[in-house]
Amino acid sequence: MTNKGQDVKLKVNMHCEGCADAVRNCLRGFDGIEEIVMNMEKQEVIVKGENVDIVKVLERLRKKYNKNAELISPELPKIKKEEEKKKEIPVKTVVLKIFMHCEGCVRDIKKIIYQMEGVLSVKPDMAGGTVAIKGAVDPLRLVEYIKKRTGKHAEIVNEEAKKDMKGKEKKKGEANNGKKGEEKKKGEAGEDGVHLIYWVHCPSQCPQCYMNRLCCCCENAFSDENVHSCSVM
């Protein structure tokens, strides 16, 4: 869908001149774009041209620069639906403890976290060794993402995010326990759901089978130490 001569206004996270240059390079020379106006203060980019494909411009920004790029105007039905979906996800602040020994670490961590979908703001504190991330993100997924992209260990320090993560881990554990219980039941039963009992020669003085020297209750019935363990009646 083209803009029909209208200015295309986009919201893009830019925290320095380097970010602005990256956005400008990403869009410069793209089909139909004649002029790019940057507004660092409002975190906005205005694209001008007679036949600008709005959807393609937005997709290019999300692919080449930041997944969180949004269209402000003109409105599109599909984009509007996506924004409504995003509003349904609760926005929270997650505080992570991450070791940062220089400004380069701070810059790299901030840049990488901004690339994660749903992140709205990143506030690192090098002195305190923490990073506050605000957005519609899953704390556990955020920790895994940082470890995968930076190789750094991240630990959740704020109580709200910890409770959210513990709740999800508890549900996951309950689901795994349920699966193990089902597998155990299946193992105890035969293929048709019939429980099988094996009678074997018992070398011990088992009170239940002393008379006929056969046993179904001996714990060592199938042990390597039992010389009759291979005799299944």
Side-chain angles (χ1 to χ4, degrees), residues 1 55 71 74-84:
M1 182 179 175
V55 176
L71 179 68
E75 286 189 2
L76 295 176
K78 287 183 181 178
I79 302 300
K80 201 171 181 180
K81 282 181 183 177
E82 281 182 21
E83 286 174 355
E84 284 172 2

Side-chain angles (χ1 to χ4, degrees), residues 27-228:
L27 297 176
R28 187 184 285 125
F30 196 63
D31 293 347
I33 296 175
E34 296 172 5
E35 188 182 351
I36 303 163
V37 180
M38 317 294 289
N39 190 328
M40 288 278 294
E41 191 178 341
K42 291 184 178 180
Q43 303 268 297
E44 290 178 359
V45 178
I46 298 168
V47 176
K48 298 183 178 184
E50 288 299 320
N51 293 300
V52 177
D53 191 318
I54 302 166
V55 176
K56 284 185 178 179
V57 167
L58 186 59
E59 284 176 354
R60 184 175 176 82
L61 268 175
R62 285 177 174 173
K63 187 179 179 181
K64 299 286 185 181
Y65 178 71
N66 193 298
K67 290 179 182 178
N68 298 313
E70 295 176 12
L71 179 68
I72 299 172
S73 66
E75 286 189 2
L76 295 176
K78 287 183 181 178
I79 302 300
K80 201 171 181 180
K81 282 181 183 177
E82 281 182 21
E83 286 174 355
E84 284 172 2
K85 276 186 182 178
K86 283 183 181 178
K87 285 176 185 176
E88 290 174 7
I89 303 168
V91 175
K92 64 184 81 173
T93 300
V94 182
V95 181
L96 301 175
K97 188 175 181 180
I98 306 173
F99 177 68
M100 297 172 284
H101 63 278
C102 67
E103 287 296 331
C105 288
V106 174
R107 187 172 58 252
D108 291 344
I109 288 168
K110 193 173 181 180
K111 184 180 178 181
I112 286 166
I113 294 173
Y114 260 125
Q115 290 172 358
M116 186 176 181
E117 193 173 354
V119 174
L120 300 174
S121 68
V122 182
K123 293 180 181 178
D125 177 12
M126 191 172 74
T130 60
V131 181
I133 300 112
K134 185 180 179 182
V137 291
D138 176 17
L140 191 61
R141 188 167 161 261
L142 181 63
V143 169
E144 289 172 354
Y145 174 82
I146 291 167
K147 189 176 181 181
K148 186 179 178 181
R149 292 294 305 275
T150 67
K152 289 183 177 288
H153 174 73
E155 184 184 339
I156 298 169
V157 293
N158 61 323
E159 292 300 320
E160 184 186 350
K162 271 186 180 179
K163 284 178 183 177
D164 185 41
M165 189 178 75
K166 282 179 182 177
K168 286 183 179 179
E169 285 180 345
K170 190 179 178 182
K171 284 180 182 178
K172 192 177 179 181
E174 286 173 356
N176 289 338
N177 288 337
K179 284 182 181 178
K180 284 179 183 177
E182 286 176 11
E183 286 173 4
K184 190 178 179 183
K185 285 179 182 177
K186 284 179 183 177
E188 290 172 353
E191 289 182 5
D192 298 324
V194 179
H195 289 271
L196 305 174
I197 296 174
Y198 295 94
W199 292 87
V200 297
H201 287 285
C202 178
S204 66
Q205 299 289 327
C206 179
Q208 292 186 26
C209 55
Y210 177 70
M211 296 300 292
N212 57 12
R213 307 294 287 174
L214 294 172
C215 181
C216 66
C217 60
C218 182
E219 290 182 2
N220 297 319
F222 293 98
S223 171
D224 291 337
E225 295 175 4
N226 182 7
V227 294
H228 300 291

